[in-house]
C-alpha cells in the first residue's frame, strides 16, 4: 500500500470524527442542511484549489508537461486546498445569503488531518516533493538520494500538534463569547421570542431549519434565544474574550500560512518573483486577506476587557 | 425534499472528492503510461461531477 494513500485516508477519517466530536461538544450555530452544503462546498473547493495551485507552483514544469494528463491531474498542495475551500465557501455563503461564520469547527480537524497526512508525505520520500533543502544539522534525514535534508514534514507535524491546544482554547473562548452574546440577547428579546415560538413552535420566520445541535446555548436562531434564556447564569458571569465567531478558523489559517511562508524557504521550490515561490505568494495573499482580523486581535489584547453584569 | 436533496448532493460531493484523491494517487503512482492517462481522465470526469453537484446545492439554497 502506498503510504500517502493510507495516511491521507486516515487523516480524512480522523478529522471527520474529531469534527463530529467538536460539533457535539460546542454545538453548531448553522442549521444541518446548510452545514452539509458548506461542507460540500469546502470539500469541492479544496479538491479543485489543491490542483490549481499545484499547476502554477512550477510554471515551466507545467508548461513542459502540458500533454501529460497524469502530471496535470496528479499533484496537490495543502495551501491550495485551504484557499480553494475558503473561496468556495465564501462564494456559496454570498450566493445563499448566509452571514454567519461557519469555519470554527473545522480548525482543529484541519490541523490534526494535515499532521496525519504529513506522515504519509514523510514516508513517501523524494517522490512526494515535500522534502527540505540539504543541511548538516544533526536531525537531517537522507530520503534516499544520500543527501541529508531538512525533514520539513516533521517540522510541520510538530508545529500543527503544538497549535492544536491553542486552537482548542480559542474555540472554547469563541464558544463562551457566543453564549454570552446569546444570553445578553435573551434578556431583551425573551418575551417576544417566547410568544413567537409558542405560536409556531416548529418553524419561526427566518429559521427554516431548526438546528439539531445538542447544545442549545450555541444556536443563533430565535429558538436558541428562548432556550438559552433558561440556561443558568454562570456562563454569563465569565468575562467576554476579544474573539468573534469565526476567529478559531481565522487563527488557524493565519498561524498555518505564516508557518508555511517561513518553512517554504527550507524547500527547494522554484522562486517565481522576489525570491518567493508560488505557495509563499499564496500565503502572503491570504495573510493580507486576514490583516484586519490580526489587527483587531492585537488591538483588543491591549484594551482592558469590560466585565458583564450577571443576568438576574 | 430540499433537505434530502442537499444531503444527497453533499454525499455525492464527498464521494467524488474522495475518488478524486484516489485517482490522483493512482495517476502519479501507476507504472504504465496508459493507466496514468486513464486515471487522470477519470479524475477530470470526477471533478466535473463534483462541481455540478456543488452548483446544484448552491441553486437549491439561492437567496430569494
Amino acid at each position: 500500500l502506498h503510504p500517502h494513500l493510507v495516511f491521507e485516508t486516515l487523516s480524512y477519517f480522523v478529522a471527520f470524527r474529531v469534527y463530529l466530536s467538536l460539533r457535539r461538544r460546542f454545538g453548531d450555530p448553522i442549521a444541518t442542511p446548510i452545514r452539509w452544503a458548506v461542507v460540500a462546498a469546502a470539500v469541492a473547493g479544496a479538491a479543485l484549489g489543491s490542483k490549481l495551485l499545484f499547476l502554477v507552483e512550477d510554471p515551466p514544469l507545467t508548461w513542459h508537461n502540458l500533454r501529460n494528463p497524469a502530471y496535470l491531474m496528479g499533484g496537490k498542495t495543502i495551501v491550495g486546498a485551504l484557499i480553494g475551500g475558503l473561496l468556495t465557501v465564501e462564494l456559496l455563503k454570498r450566493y445563499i445569503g448566509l452571514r454567519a461564520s461557519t469555519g470554527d469547527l473545522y480548525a482543529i480537524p484541519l490541523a490534526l488531518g494535515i499532521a496525519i497526512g504529513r506522515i504519509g508525505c514523510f514516508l513517501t520520500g523524494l517522490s512526494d516533493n515535500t522534502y527540505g533543502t540539504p543541511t548538516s544539522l544533526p536531525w537531517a534525514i537522507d530520503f534516499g538520494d544520500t543527501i541529508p535534508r531538512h525533514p520539513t514534514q516533521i517540522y510541520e507535524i510538530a508545529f500543527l500538534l503544538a497549535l492544536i491546544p491553542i486552537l482548542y482554547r480559542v474555540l472554547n473562548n469563541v464558544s463562551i463569547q457566543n453564549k454570552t452574546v446569546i444570553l445578553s440577547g435573551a434578556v431583551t428579546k425573551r418575551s417576544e421570542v417566547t410568544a413567537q415560538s409558542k405560536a409556531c413552535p416548529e418553524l419561526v420566520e427566518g429559521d427554516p431549519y431548526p438546528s439539531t445541535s445538542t447544545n442549545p446555548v450555541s444556536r443563533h436562531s430565535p429558538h436558541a434565544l428562548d432556550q438559552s434564556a433558561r440556561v443558568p447564569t454562570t456562563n454569563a458571569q465569565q468575562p467576554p474574550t476579544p474573539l468573534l465567531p469565526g476567529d478559531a478558523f481565522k487563527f488557524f489559517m493565519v498561524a498555518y500560512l505564516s508557518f508555511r511562508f517561513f518553512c517554504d524557504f527550507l524547500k527547494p521550490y522554484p522562486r517565481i518573483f522576489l525570491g518567493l515561490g508560488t505557495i509563499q505568494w499564496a500565503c502572503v495573499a491570504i495573510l493580507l486577506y486576514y490583516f484586519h482580523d490580526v489587527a483587531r486581535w492585537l488591538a483588543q489584547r491591549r484594551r482592558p476587557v469590560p466585565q458583564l453584569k450577571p443576568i438576574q | 425534499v430540499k433537505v434530502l436533496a442537499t444531503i444527497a448532493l453533499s454525499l455525492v460531493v464527498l464521494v467524488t472528492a474522495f475518488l478524486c484523491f484516489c485517482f490522483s494517487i493512482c495517476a502519479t503512482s501507476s507504472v504504465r503510461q496508459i493507466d496514468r492517462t486513464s486515471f487522470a481522465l477519470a479524475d477530470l470526469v470526477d471533478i466535473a461531477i463534483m462541481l455540478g453537484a456543488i452548483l446544484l446545492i448552491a441553486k437549491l439554497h439561492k437567496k430569494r
Side-chain angles (χ1 to χ4, degrees):
Chain A
L1 277 174
H2 199 289
H4 215 296
L5 185 70
V6 173
F7 281 98
E8 204 166 327
T9 308
L10 184 69
S11 75
Y12 294 147
F13 176 75
V14 172
F16 188 63
R17 294 303 308 174
V18 170
Y19 162 72
L20 290 179
S21 165
L22 289 172
R23 190 170 185 245
R24 267 196 303 274
R25 183 174 176 81
F26 293 103
D28 192 350
I30 309 298
T32 303
I34 301 292
R35 173 60 72 188
W36 274 94
V38 169
V39 168
V43 168
L48 204 63
S50 66
K51 288 179 185 296
L52 289 178
L53 192 63
F54 168 77
L55 292 179
V56 291
E57 194 180 329
D58 189 350
L61 191 62
T62 303
W63 183 255
H64 184 72
N65 282 287
L66 267 184
R67 288 167 184 271
N68 179 5
Y71 174 86
L72 296 178
M73 301 305 295
K76 298 191 296 296
T77 63
I78 287 175
V79 173
L82 290 173
I83 296 172
L86 173 72
L87 290 179
T88 318
V89 169
E90 289 303 324
L91 284 174
L92 179 87
K93 280 167 63 178
R94 180 168 288 198
Y95 191 71
I96 67 175
L98 179 68
R99 290 191 167 197
S101 293
T102 54
D104 282 335
L105 291 173
Y106 305 146
I108 294 174
L110 278 171
L112 191 60
I114 295 171
I116 295 171
R118 281 297 185 212
I119 301 172
C121 297
F122 178 71
L123 295 177
T124 302
L126 287 172
S127 62
D128 195 64
N129 288 325
T130 50
Y131 52 82
T133 49
T135 178
S136 57
L137 288 168
W139 56 83
I141 288 181
D142 173 7
F143 285 98
D145 57 353
T146 69
I147 301 171
R149 294 174 181 277
H150 280 288
T152 47
Q153 306 95 333
I154 303 291
Y155 298 165
E156 196 165 328
I157 291 168
F159 171 79
L160 288 165
L161 292 181
L163 185 64
I164 287 171
I166 303 169
L167 287 174
Y168 188 83
R169 201 171 159 189
V170 173
L171 185 60
N172 208 22
N173 284 345
V174 169
S175 175
I176 289 169
Q177 183 81 343
N178 284 352
K179 288 172 190 175
T180 311
V181 168
I182 291 169
L183 282 164
S184 310
V187 173
T188 54
K189 294 181 181 173
R190 186 186 301 183
S191 57
E192 179 193 331
V193 172
T194 308
Q196 200 177 15
S197 56
K198 273 179 185 169
C200 184
E202 292 303 317
L203 285 176
V204 175
E205 190 180 358
D207 185 13
Y209 308 108
S211 176
T212 54
S213 167
T214 54
N215 184 356
V217 292
S218 64
R219 300 174 196 169
H220 289 291
S221 68
H223 282 311
L225 294 181
D226 186 30
Q227 290 178 359
S228 61
R230 295 186 216 118
V231 173
T233 56
T234 48
N235 285 329
Q237 289 166 1
Q238 296 180 26
T241 61
L243 295 170
L244 296 173
D247 276 358
F249 179 75
K250 288 173 186 171
F251 185 79
F252 163 74
M253 289 291 277
V254 169
Y256 181 71
L257 295 178
S258 303
F259 169 81
R260 279 301 300 266
F261 177 81
F262 291 109
C263 188
D264 277 24
F265 283 114
L266 298 177
K267 293 182 182 177
Y269 290 162
R271 312 291 169 192
I272 56 160
F273 186 59
L274 293 178
L276 301 180
T278 309
I279 290 180
Q280 286 173 308
W281 278 114
C283 292
V284 169
I286 297 300
L287 289 173
L288 286 175
Y289 175 74
Y290 285 128
F291 176 77
H292 284 291
D293 295 292
V294 176
R296 173 170 56 83
W297 297 334
L298 294 174
Q300 288 183 338
R301 272 189 79 85
R302 292 192 208 104
R303 205 179 300 157
V305 178
Q307 296 285 326
L308 276 189
K309 288 180 184 175
I311 298 169
Q312 298 299 320
Chain B
V1 172
K2 195 170 160 181
V3 173
L4 283 176
T6 306
I7 293 173
L9 287 168
S10 302
L11 284 173
V12 169
V13 172
L14 293 182
V15 170
T16 48
F18 186 72
L19 285 176
C20 174
F21 145 67
C22 294
F23 288 143
S24 298
I25 295 276
C26 294
T28 47
S29 58
S30 290
V31 180
R32 293 193 310 161
Q33 181 62 35
I34 190 159
D35 288 344
R36 289 180 170 215
T37 310
S38 309
F39 282 124
L41 290 176
D43 201 8
L44 201 62
V45 173
D46 190 62
I47 288 176
I49 295 169
M50 186 167 63
L51 289 180
I54 198 70
L55 286 175
L56 277 176
I57 291 174
K59 275 258 187 250
L60 267 178
H61 294 276
K62 189 181 177 185
K63 182 169 56 177
R64 294 182 196 285

